[in-house]
Amino acid sequence: MTEQLTVAVGRRAARAILIDDRGRLVLIKRTKPGQAPYWTAPGGGVEDADASVEAALYRELVEELGAEATNASQVFLFSSPSDRGVAVQHFFVARLASLDESARSGPEFSDSSRGGYELDRVALRGDDLAAIDLKPTALKEFILANREALQVEAGVVS
């Protein structure tokens, strides 16, 4: 008889591997006092009011970037331990349709103690992506290994 382990999902998040028309990743450069800068995919927590994880993705893109995206397709799942169970991040590849930084409205912009959230674009071709600290590391490795397929999936032809 095998023993089953039940693990609670403490937090679920939706994040975008967001690609613009020039084949660049649209990322958030995070700066915090006393820490080296790092980059992260835009997105955030799934809320009870969200109809689905994908709906949370679209809402988060509007809040964090003032962006709309198309062709979203879940391509990567990442989990890590958290104080409330397991944190699960759903990563969707998507194509950037529009962006208006003045429309950014997430709670992170009203609390300066959370540090900086700077919009950045990083080329998928070449060595730019390899040179930055994209978190989580498993996401960076996944993107580097699948750059061409991600562009195709997002509908970006370069």
Side-chain angles (χ1 to χ4, degrees):
M1 189 165 154
T2 60
E3 188 176 320
Q4 286 189 323
L5 178 64
T6 303
V7 179
V9 174
R11 182 173 192 270
R12 193 175 300 278
R15 297 200 172 277
I17 300 169
L18 189 59
I19 303 173
D20 71 11
D21 287 340
R22 293 177 50 196
R24 298 175 299 178
L25 283 175
V26 180
L27 299 171
I28 302 289
K29 182 180 179 182
R30 295 285 287 117
T31 52
K32 297 179 182 181
Q35 289 185 14
Y38 67 92
W39 286 254
T40 187
V46 177
E47 297 175 359
D48 292 339
D50 293 321
S52 64
V53 175
E54 187 174 339
L57 172 77
Y58 290 119
R59 176 186 50 74
E60 284 287 342
L61 289 175
V62 169
E63 288 177 8
E64 282 199 351
L65 300 176
E68 292 185 11
T70 60
N71 296 352
S73 176
Q74 186 172 332
V75 293
F76 186 67
L77 194 64
F78 180 77
S79 63
S80 58
S82 77
D83 55 351
R84 297 185 323 226
V86 174
V88 178
Q89 296 185 64
H90 300 258
F91 288 90
F92 293 79
V93 64
R95 183 177 185 163
L96 178 66
S98 67
L99 185 120
D100 177 4
E101 282 191 76
S102 69
R104 297 168 87 184
S105 63
E108 55 272 24
F109 303 109
S110 59
D111 182 0
S112 61
S113 71
R114 294 177 75 167
Y117 290 80
E118 180 184 333
L119 177 67
D120 197 8
R121 296 182 195 229
V122 177
L124 272 171
R125 293 184 181 269
D127 298 327
D128 292 355
L129 181 57
I132 66 167
D133 183 13
L134 177 61
K135 296 189 184 290
T137 303
L139 173 64
K140 179 178 178 177
E141 292 167 354
F142 173 80
I143 294 172
L144 286 170
N146 295 283
R147 305 182 222 222
E148 294 83 12
L150 291 167
Q151 288 184 358
V152 169
E153 191 69 18
V156 176
V157 180
S158 55

